[in-house]
Amino acid sequence: MKIKKPRGTRDFLPEEMEKRREIEKKMREIAELYGYREVQTPTFEHLELFTLKSGEAIVEEIYAFKDKSGRDLALRPELTAPVMRMFANECSVMPRPLRFYYFSNCFRYERPQKGRYREFWQFGVELIGSPSYLADAEVIMLAYDIMENLNLDFELHIGHVGLLRRLLKGVDADKASKIMRLIDKKDVEGLEDCLSTIGLKDMEDKIYALIDLVGGREVIEEARELVPDFDFDYIDKLCDCLDSVGVDYKLDFGIARGLDYYTGVVFEAYAEGLGAQNQICGGGSYRLAHLFGVDVPSTGFALGFDRIAEICELGLGRKKLAVIVSFKGLENEAFKIARIVRQSGMQVVVDVMQRSLKKQLSYANDIKADFAIIVGEEELKENKIAIKDLKSGEQKIVEMKGMIDFLRSLD
Ligand code: HAM
């Protein structure tokens, strides 16, 4: 019987895993250079953690289930809420700010398509405890550094949910949240329908004008005209800071973000070559911990790891691979030699199929090995070994004690 993998999930073969691990390593290195330290939270949480802020409607979009004791649980759809829960439970008295990063799988019950999966990975950070624009500046710089270091072709957009929220002041919370989601999804028809039912023409026109505002710092002036009672000082200072360190971005006051907890600066990065699902990073400042009893300003982002892996062309530094080929009866010798070679840091594969020398060599070529180390009776008697360079086809018999040096010289 053939069993397929569940819809929206993927298998990763070694080549892909090697690439993913390489990308992950780069992301970790850079986050650690900024002083972030890794955390991990459970794969499933109490469902309440995700409905507290977003309401019951979110249940449609997540993997929610009852366990055998009837508890309502959910596979995490993201990590900000879990990390803030952890913060409130375990770290609320630690010196602030706290700098956490994570790399974990998330689950969303979405309609799968290219770049959109039901199980996907996020690499993210949360900077907890600072209300300053400097905290937003830092996480934006970090996201930018990671994307640049991976040689991605991306555009970074920065906005502030406070402007749209200001325009929606007076609209009831559910409706305002629905409007923000429609803006986030760029669902123009849905937005028109929803706004027309509210019937505030002036607000409607301003919302359309605001979400079209994308550009350099000059768009702040236009935004000021649309939302005159908003204090743009924070955005100005953030832009000064990012400009001074050479982060390249566009201001975009149409960023609404799909999650409800954002309160201030928000940002997203879009990449070439991904089609419709081109958002590779999303983040911003938010308030969430107060739901768990500790009120603290935070900011962070998550990179869509799978989308990045799809477009990232890292040069993979592949290690050299040797294959030990042995005549019948010398299998134990082969394992012994393999241990010696591995101690030098070289990858070694030993034949475990007990097949002919010819077949072993052909397999070595199939798996793209660099050398074959041939264990033969005659050579062993003289403490020697035959080494074949599989690229050039050249073969040489060397002293056993000089084997590692010789292999290194072939690099
Ligand atoms: P998000 O924008 O929902 O934000 O997700 C972050 C990134 O995860 C997206 O930009 C996208 O690249 C990737 N992503 C989301 N859904 C899928 C999917 N179904 N398949 C593949 N990739 C996907 C958050 O989750 C926030 N927690 C980010 C944050 C951290 N804000 C503050 N701190």
Side-chain angles (χ1 to χ4, degrees):
M1 186 175 57
K2 194 171 166 184
I3 299 179
K4 285 193 194 147
K5 57 187 181 298
R7 204 164 126 75
T9 65
R10 284 151 305 150
D11 297 315
F12 301 105
L13 293 173
E15 214 144 298
E16 179 129 36
M17 273 320 289
E18 279 160 16
K19 180 179 175 188
R20 289 171 70 92
R21 288 291 183 220
E22 197 82 8
I23 296 171
E24 177 196 333
K25 194 166 139 217
K26 259 250 147 65
M27 291 179 171
R28 285 176 187 278
E29 273 167 16
I30 300 168
E32 285 170 17
L33 286 177
Y34 276 73
Y36 286 70
R37 298 173 70 201
E38 187 174 10
V39 292
Q40 193 164 41
T41 60
T43 308
F44 54 90
E45 295 271 358
H46 289 291
L47 175 62
E48 216 186 351
L49 176 65
F50 305 109
T51 53
L52 261 180
K53 182 75 198 165
S54 309
E56 289 298 320
I58 191 93
V59 178
E60 295 301 310
E61 293 163 33
I62 63 186
Y63 279 87
F65 58 97
K66 277 194 195 298
D67 73 2
K68 290 188 170 62
S69 302
R71 296 182 193 94
D72 283 309
L73 300 173
L75 297 182
R76 58 177 171 227
E78 58 112 38
L79 282 115
T80 304
V83 168
M84 294 318 289
R85 177 202 50 70
M86 180 193 73
F87 164 76
N89 293 352
E90 324 274 348
C91 329
S92 63
V93 297
M94 288 183 183
R96 295 178 191 173
L98 289 132
R99 290 181 168 86
F100 291 151
Y101 80 83
Y102 47 80
F103 174 67
S104 297
N105 51 349
C106 302
F107 308 84
R108 295 187 188 175
Y109 199 76
E110 301 196 269
R111 199 171 44 78
Q113 64 182 88
K114 184 176 184 284
R116 187 156 78 187
Y117 309 103
R118 289 186 169 174
E119 182 189 26
F120 62 97
W121 274 256
Q122 283 190 347
F123 184 96
V125 312
E126 309 299 342
L127 172 48
I128 306 167
S130 167
S132 168
Y133 71 95
L134 293 170
D136 288 317
E138 176 175 301
V139 297
I140 291 172
M141 261 178 244
L142 171 51
Y144 189 83
D145 254 3
I146 292 177
M147 293 185 287
E148 273 228 314
N149 262 279
L150 292 171
N151 280 327
L152 303 178
D153 185 3
F154 67 96
E155 203 169 88
L156 174 66
H157 285 209
I158 301 175
H160 194 301
V161 285
L163 277 84
L164 279 169
R165 294 250 166 86
R166 192 60 62 95
L167 289 181
L168 290 168
K169 216 163 117 186
V171 176
D172 79 56
D174 279 354
K175 221 171 209 147
S177 163
K178 186 172 170 202
I179 292 171
M180 294 298 273
R181 274 163 187 264
L182 291 166
I183 296 173
D184 175 57
K185 292 210 163 81
K186 313 240 174 299
D187 180 349
V188 183
E189 253 174 58
L191 183 64
E192 278 171 6
D193 280 354
C194 192
L195 285 175
S196 64
T197 60
I198 300 174
L200 292 170
K201 190 75 190 122
D202 184 41
M203 179 193 71
E204 208 177 315
D205 291 344
K206 282 185 173 172
I207 286 180
Y208 291 133
L210 192 65
I211 61 180
D212 278 342
L213 273 189
V214 183
R217 287 183 71 168
E218 70 285 352
V219 300
I220 292 183
E221 280 322 304
E222 294 174 56
R224 217 187 284 274
E225 278 170 30
L226 292 168
V227 200
D229 54 346
F230 187 82
D231 181 5
F232 283 88
D233 199 37
Y234 191 101
I235 297 177
D236 263 328
K237 286 198 282 203
L238 174 68
C239 291
D240 282 344
C241 180
L242 294 174
D243 291 345
S244 74
V245 293
V247 168
D248 192 18
Y249 62 91
K250 282 203 170 109
L251 285 174
D252 179 346
F253 294 116
I255 301 179
R257 305 289 295 133
L259 298 149
D260 287 315
Y261 46 64
Y262 294 100
T263 49
V265 165
V266 282
F267 56 97
E268 290 178 349
Y270 315 103
E272 289 297 321
L274 278 166
Q277 303 302 319
N278 67 346
Q279 198 199 113
I280 55 167
C281 177
S285 52
Y286 59 90
R287 292 263 174 176
L288 202 52
H290 62 284
L291 299 173
F292 322 125
V294 197
D295 194 13
V296 66
S298 310
T299 181
F301 64 81
L303 293 156
F305 186 80
D306 308 271
R307 295 179 187 174
I308 289 178
E310 175 109 11
I311 49 168
C312 182
E313 285 171 15
L314 267 191
L316 285 185
R318 196 172 81 86
K319 277 192 174 171
K320 295 279 176 191
L321 174 65
V323 170
I324 312 236
V325 172
S326 64
F327 285 90
K328 275 228 159 60
L330 295 178
E331 291 85 0
N332 297 355
E333 286 301 323
F335 272 119
K336 248 160 72 186
I337 293 167
R339 287 179 77 103
I340 299 169
V341 181
R342 284 184 192 124
Q343 274 160 14
S344 77
M346 192 176 287
Q347 292 181 353
V348 178
V349 164
V350 182
D351 176 68
V352 288
M353 302 277 279
Q354 299 192 290
R355 41 189 178 189
S356 72
L357 204 70
K358 191 167 162 232
K359 284 204 171 129
Q360 291 181 50
L361 278 169
S362 144
Y363 177 72
N365 276 314
D366 287 345
I367 63 169
K368 300 194 173 56
D370 299 280
F371 329 107
I373 300 172
I374 305 165
V375 187
E377 192 103 44
E378 296 304 307
E379 290 84 3
L380 273 187
K381 267 192 213 144
E382 294 176 27
N383 261 328
K384 288 187 174 160
I385 192 111
I387 293 175
K388 182 170 183 165
D389 184 331
L390 294 172
K391 299 271 148 54
S392 64
E394 246 174 78
Q395 186 166 321
K396 217 172 159 187
I397 295 179
V398 298
E399 295 281 342
M400 193 73 93
K401 59 179 189 304
M403 173 180 67
I404 299 293
D405 286 343
F406 181 75
L407 284 171
R408 288 212 174 107
S409 77
L410 290 176
D411 269 9

